Amino acid sequence: GTRGGTSQMPGSPTGAPRPGSARVEGRAGGGAMLRSSPALGLRLGLVLEQHLGLPVSRFDCYLAVAGGLDVEEPAADLGVAAAVVASYRDLTLPPGTVLVGELGLGGQLRPVGQLEQRLQEAARLGFNRAVVPKGSGLGRLAAGLDLQLHEAGSVAEALVAALGVNPADDRA
């Protein structure tokens, strides 16, 4: 299964980051791509198809989230997209990887609020790799937390950093 995480602020109603997984299955007809959140699924499906050429909207996707993480929060976009792509391509996210960032319709990875606190919480919970939006300026903080920081400007760059391969490549 796909394992990774997204980072949400402690004290929020849905708690701290927890590993999640996605399963992509074939289907015959139309409908929402992400069963737990149709609107998010349609938006992420559009981005993944437009910018990676992955026809994920042809499939149903079931997302399992431990600990009640709110996948509607924009900071969770990158983690959800990585879980969907990893499942679609039969890849595994490296253990200890946390993904934080909002995906724009243009394929860009947008900054999210409280990124410093999110990384601190992720490190406290044992994550050792983080993929975040470019320009965070948190390299020194990450080094102090023993967190390997990967910054990306687009969904494609972020997924290459997270998965170690280009998910748009048919050989992936």
Side-chain angles (χ1 to χ4, degrees), residues 17-93:
R18 293 286 189 265
S21 64
R23 187 176 80 235
V24 177
E25 297 180 345
R27 65 183 167 113
M33 183 191 74
L34 191 64
R35 290 291 184 196
S36 62
S37 175
L40 174 65
L42 291 172
R43 185 170 54 83
L44 293 182
L46 176 67
V47 171
L48 295 175
E49 287 190 16
Q50 287 285 320
H51 300 283
L52 296 176
L54 301 177
V56 294
S57 67
R58 296 182 193 162
F59 301 89
D60 281 337
C61 180
Y62 300 90
L63 181 68
V65 182
L69 180 71
D70 182 5
V71 296
E72 296 294 331
E73 181 183 8
D77 286 1
L78 181 57
V80 173
V84 169
V85 169
S87 177
Y88 179 79
R89 286 289 190 210
D90 199 22
L91 300 168
T92 302
L93 286 166

Side-chain angles (χ1 to χ4, degrees), residues 3 8 16 19 30 53 73-74 83 89 96 104 107 112-113 124 131 157 171-172:
R3 293 283 179 222
Q8 184 161 355
E73 181 183 8
R89 286 289 190 210
V112 296
R124 186 185 73 75
V131 180
E157 288 176 30
R171 296 176 305 253

